[in-house]
């Protein structure tokens, strides 16, 4: 349970951090373009694609560690 | 034949078909409150995804977000961040709510709060306040519907009649179809919405700019201040962005209708999968924002209401048959998401207010009352939209500030901190709601550049912690039972819905 809780906290901090720190540190600008896109726009295209990967990793760790509710059989 | 008659005819027929689909779809659940409001806790990952999708991605996403980007600039990206932060939080919170709900037979947020803090009075207080806030929230959808219809009909049909008709259809679908019917309607609405937005996203750059590259180039060179923060109003700066994302992201599950999604899932795994896959949905928001930014250049020099830009572009670009599909998606995005809000409001009033004030009310009566209340609640929302339009706009602007004040009681005390007490939650809420009301009445949309609700929430947390530590905690045996349900691997015996 502890491992899955730590993974969850790390997931929340990572997703929140990416969204907040990106504009704060660099991306709140209209140029120079990144892959042809304005930097701020690019960041908000990138992070929704990265978030499922982060939370997918949390999911896999949680499943192996027997996280909250893992005793419930939901069928196929 | 006027092509707009074809569009209106298709929209009307489409709404009726989707209503029928919803009513038929709801027939599979049990004829009980648990069946009606939480689909017997049996919704699988796909249907839960659509249900959550419809509650999060409403007329505001479809129309309002483009308007926000068009009128207020780069600050609009807060709305992309908000939901993903919420999903990450929901990875643990939603399964915990599900386990508690199943173990103790809870079907509303108020049940959860009253049970955790062993305080029926706190449950009544929270139910009454949140139900009222949610009725105002229904009006956001009425606004959205009005916006679509006014562009579409252009004065051909009385707008009030059309809005009223839309919401009569909504109440019938909700009354008969329940939450499962709404989830099936959501699937139709979401597929149409994806199709419509994707088509517009491809056509707008191609038609007006000659491609994405040229469009981005013009955005970067001609309106750099409009696509970054603080934007044209100079008010939505980075401190506003950070505090708004924290407030709305962490506050997301405090909305009773979103909280209730946790009860509808088949189990914790279904809910955890939502956290993994829902962020992809945010790309729809990015697409709408792109169109909103493009509209700044397209409508340069013209005074166009922000909420209308999506519909105006669709009218300009699409042939009538596809405009009909687009308009149907827009109308459904206003009507379908209102369903869970109305249902949860009526259940809160019937189960957590009426039945608590009149002990001995039978489960059958509560169920019947919950269903029948959808009619007066929708009527009240419609009347409010007509007679107190400006009041509603004010309420909606601050609704998130108010609802997020539930965070200490639901998240911290609810699943993380055993020492929290009902008195602490009540004192924090009272502080939060009164402080929010005073600050907003005094015209403070921001405090030191930060979101007002966020600043108030810090005060709420302090009051919550201090009062909790000063008051008697809930009996240890009760707390053990509650928290063991979440954190142990014991089998969860389903409790009856009281």
């Amino acid at each position: 349970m502890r491992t899955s809780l730590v993974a969850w906290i790390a997931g929340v901090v990572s997703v929140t951090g990416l969204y907040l720190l990106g504009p704060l540190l660099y991306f709140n600008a209209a140029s120079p373009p990144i892959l042809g896109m304005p930097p701020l726009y690019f960041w908000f295209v990138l992070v929704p694609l990265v978030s499922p990967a982060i939370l997918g990793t949390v999911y896999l760790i949680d499943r192996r560690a027997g996280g909250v509710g893992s005793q419930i059989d939901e069928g196929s | 034949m006027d092509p707009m008659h074809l569009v209106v005819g298709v929209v009307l027929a489409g709404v009726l078909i989707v209503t029928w689909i919803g009513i038929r779809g709801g027939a599979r659940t049990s004829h009980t409150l648990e069946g009606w409001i939480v689909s017997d806790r049996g919704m699988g990952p796909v249907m839960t995804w659509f249900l959550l999708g419809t509650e999060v991605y409403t007329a505001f996403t479809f129309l309002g977000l483009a308007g926000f980007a068009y009128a207020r600039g780069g600050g609009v990206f807060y709305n992309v961040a908000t939901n993903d932060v919420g999903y990450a939080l929901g990875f643990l919170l939603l399964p915990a709510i599900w386990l508690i709900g199943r173990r103790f037979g809870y079907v509303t947020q108020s049940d959860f709060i009253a049970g955790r803090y062993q305080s029926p009075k706190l449950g009544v207080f929270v139910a009454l306040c949140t139900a009222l806030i949610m009725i105002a929230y229904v009006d956001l959808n009425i606004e959205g519907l009005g916006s679509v219809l006014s562009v579409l009909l252009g004065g051909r049909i009385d707008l009030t009649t059309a809005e009223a008709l839309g919401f009569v259809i909504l109440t019938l679908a909700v009354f008969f179809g329940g939450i499962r019917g709404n989830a099936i309607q959501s699937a139709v609405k979401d597929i149409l919405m994806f199709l419509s937005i994707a088509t517009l996203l491809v056509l707008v750059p191609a038609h007006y700019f000659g491609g994405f590259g040229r469009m981005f180039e013009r955005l970067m060179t001609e309106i750099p201040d409009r696509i970054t923060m603080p934007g044209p109003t100079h008010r939505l700066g980075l401190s506003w962005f950070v505090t708004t994302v924290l407030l709305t992201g962490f506050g997301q599950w405090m909305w009773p209708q979103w909280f209730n999604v946790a009860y509808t899932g088949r189990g914790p795994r279904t809910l955890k999968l939502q956290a993994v896959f829902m962020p992809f949905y945010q790309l729809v928001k990015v697409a709408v924002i792109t169109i909103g930014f493009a509209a700044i250049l397209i409508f340069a020099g013209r005074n166009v209401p922000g909420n209308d830009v999506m519909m105006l572009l669709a009218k300009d670009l699409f042939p009538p048959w596809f405009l009909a599909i687009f308009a149907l998606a827009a109308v459904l995005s206003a009507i379908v998401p209102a369903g869970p809000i109305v249902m949860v409001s009526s259940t809160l009033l019937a189960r957590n207010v009426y039945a608590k004030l009149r002990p001995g009310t039978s489960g059958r009566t509560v169920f019947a009352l919950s269903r029948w209340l959808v009619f007066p609640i929708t009527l009240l929302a419609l009347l409010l939209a007509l007679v107190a339009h400006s009041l509603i706009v004010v309420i909606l602007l601050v609704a998130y500030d108010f609802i997020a004040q539930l965070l200490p009681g639901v998240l911290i005390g609810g699943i993380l901190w055993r020492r929290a007490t009902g008195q602490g939650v009540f004192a924090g809420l009272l502080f939060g709601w009164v402080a929010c009301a005073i600050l907003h009445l005094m015209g403070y949309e921001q405090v030191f550049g930060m979101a007002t609700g966020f600043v108030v929430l810090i005060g709420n947390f302090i009051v919550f912690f201090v009062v909790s530590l000063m008051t008697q905690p809930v009996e240890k045996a009760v707390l053990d039972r509650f928290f063991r349900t979440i954190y142990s691997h014991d089998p969860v015996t389903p409790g009856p819905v009281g």
Side-chain angles (χ1 to χ4, degrees):
Chain A
M1 188 64 77
R2 183 177 292 273
T3 307
S4 61
L5 281 174
V6 170
W8 170 66
I9 292 168
V12 174
V13 170
S14 304
V15 172
T16 309
L18 279 174
Y19 273 116
L20 299 185
L21 293 178
L24 277 177
L25 297 180
Y26 177 75
F27 290 92
N28 184 30
S31 57
I34 303 173
L35 299 176
M37 295 177 257
L40 190 63
Y41 182 92
F42 165 79
W43 190 246
F44 283 92
V45 171
L46 180 69
V47 183
L49 295 172
V50 173
S51 293
I54 294 171
L55 293 169
T57 307
V58 173
Y59 176 80
L60 293 175
I61 295 169
D62 179 86
R63 206 167 68 163
R64 290 186 78 170
V68 166
S70 57
Q71 74 274 32
I72 304 293
D73 178 16
E74 297 182 37
S76 55
Chain B
M1 181 184 169
D2 184 348
M4 288 316 286
H5 287 150
L6 170 74
V7 174
V8 172
V10 170
V11 169
L12 192 61
V15 169
L16 290 174
I17 291 168
V18 171
T19 304
W20 179 78
I21 290 171
I23 291 171
R24 291 277 302 160
R28 280 179 53 194
T29 54
S30 68
H31 200 67
T32 61
L33 183 63
E34 199 174 22
W36 186 69
I37 190 80
V38 294
S39 190
D40 297 313
R41 304 181 206 278
M43 241 183 242
V46 176
M47 288 316 291
T48 307
W49 195 76
F50 279 122
L51 179 66
L52 196 50
T54 215
E55 295 195 27
V56 177
Y57 305 94
T58 63
F60 176 73
T61 306
F62 205 177
L63 308 167
L65 211 52
F68 196 121
Y70 174 81
R72 304 180 77 178
V76 70
F77 284 116
Y78 93 88
N79 204 269
V80 179
T82 284
N83 300 123
D84 277 2
V85 170
Y87 300 139
L89 185 71
F91 187 90
L92 180 77
L93 181 63
L94 298 190
I97 295 167
W98 186 92
L99 289 164
I100 293 292
R102 180 174 153 107
R103 170 74 177 80
F104 299 103
Y106 298 160
V107 295
T108 65
Q109 186 189 58
S110 169
D111 289 344
F112 180 90
I113 290 173
R116 160 63 183 87
Y117 298 103
Q118 294 294 294
S119 172
K121 284 179 188 166
L122 183 63
V124 172
F125 174 69
V126 169
L128 195 59
C129 295
T130 53
L132 292 175
I133 295 172
M134 287 165 75
I135 290 171
Y137 201 80
V138 176
D139 284 312
L140 181 66
N141 296 71
I142 296 176
E143 286 283 310
L145 184 62
S147 192
V148 176
L149 294 176
S150 66
V151 175
L152 200 60
L153 303 174
R156 289 179 180 84
I157 301 173
D158 176 52
L159 203 56
T160 308
T161 312
E163 284 179 3
L165 182 66
F167 279 81
V168 167
I169 290 169
L170 160 79
T171 46
L172 288 175
V174 163
F175 183 84
F176 290 108
I179 200 73
R180 185 167 187 86
N182 188 269
I184 295 168
Q185 291 180 314
S186 303
V188 179
K189 167 235 149 195
D190 285 354
I191 290 166
L192 289 175
M193 194 165 137
F194 290 150
L195 182 69
S196 304
I197 291 173
T199 310
L200 203 56
L201 180 68
V202 172
L203 282 186
V204 165
H207 181 81
Y208 294 103
F209 302 94
F212 275 98
R214 183 78 192 111
M215 180 182 75
F216 287 135
E217 214 176 286
R218 286 191 59 193
L219 289 175
M220 287 184 280
T221 52
E222 292 179 33
I223 51 165
D225 295 342
R226 300 287 293 267
I227 58 170
T228 52
M229 290 176 265
T233 62
H234 302 291
R235 290 187 55 77
L236 308 184
L238 285 170
S239 52
W240 170 86
F241 169 76
V242 170
T243 51
T244 301
V245 169
L246 291 173
L247 176 80
T248 54
F250 284 90
Q252 174 167 305
W253 303 110
M254 302 307 114
W255 282 103
Q257 75 274 22
W258 292 6
F259 186 99
N260 258 48
V261 172
Y263 293 137
T264 60
R266 193 181 291 159
R269 183 176 155 270
T270 292
L271 297 165
K272 288 173 184 174
L273 285 172
Q274 305 310 312
V276 177
F277 291 106
M278 283 304 288
F280 284 122
Y281 233 128
Q282 295 302 87
L283 293 171
V284 174
K285 290 192 168 183
V286 176
V288 175
I289 290 169
T290 312
I291 297 163
F293 284 151
I296 300 171
L297 294 171
I298 296 166
F299 296 118
R302 288 167 59 187
N303 188 18
V304 174
N307 286 347
D308 292 354
V309 296
M310 288 284 281
M311 284 303 296
L312 289 171
L313 289 171
K315 266 180 99 169
D316 197 29
L317 288 172
F318 294 148
W321 68 270
F322 197 79
L323 180 62
I325 292 175
F326 187 91
L328 176 61
V331 167
L332 291 176
S333 78
I335 294 177
V336 177
I341 306 174
V342 173
M343 289 176 68
V344 172
S345 295
S346 63
T347 306
L348 283 170
L349 292 176
R351 177 180 164 87
N352 299 107
V353 178
Y354 178 82
K356 298 300 173 198
L357 298 178
R358 295 195 62 154
T361 308
S362 72
R364 269 180 91 86
T365 307
V366 170
F367 176 42
L369 190 59
S370 298
R371 288 179 82 200
W372 282 105
L373 272 174
V374 300
F375 293 101
I377 283 175
T378 311
L379 184 65
L380 180 64
L382 266 171
L383 290 175
L384 266 174
L386 293 176
V387 301
H389 171 78
S390 55
L391 176 68
I392 289 157
V393 171
V394 172
I395 290 170
L396 287 172
L397 283 174
V398 301
Y400 236 117
D401 287 358
F402 278 85
I403 216 77
Q405 303 304 322
L406 288 163
L407 190 65
V410 172
L411 177 68
I412 306 301
I415 69 166
L416 297 173
W417 192 42
R418 290 169 60 107
R419 188 62 184 76
T421 67
Q423 292 93 327
V425 175
F426 179 73
L429 270 179
L430 206 59
F431 169 83
W433 284 343
V434 170
C436 271
I438 291 172
L439 286 170
H440 281 292
L441 285 171
M442 289 170 69
Y444 285 99
E445 277 181 39
Q446 296 179 10
V447 178
F448 304 120
M450 295 186 281
T452 302
F454 179 82
V455 176
V456 171
L457 186 59
I458 292 171
N460 177 349
F461 265 111
I462 294 168
V463 173
F464 163 74
F465 280 119
V466 170
V467 176
S468 288
L469 291 172
M470 288 167 59
T471 47
Q472 192 71 23
V474 172
E475 203 180 312
K476 185 176 178 302
V478 175
L479 284 177
D480 284 347
R481 212 165 51 232
F482 197 88
F483 281 91
R484 275 193 68 80
T485 304
I486 302 173
Y487 295 110
S488 80
H489 287 153
D490 299 345
V492 181
T493 317
V497 176

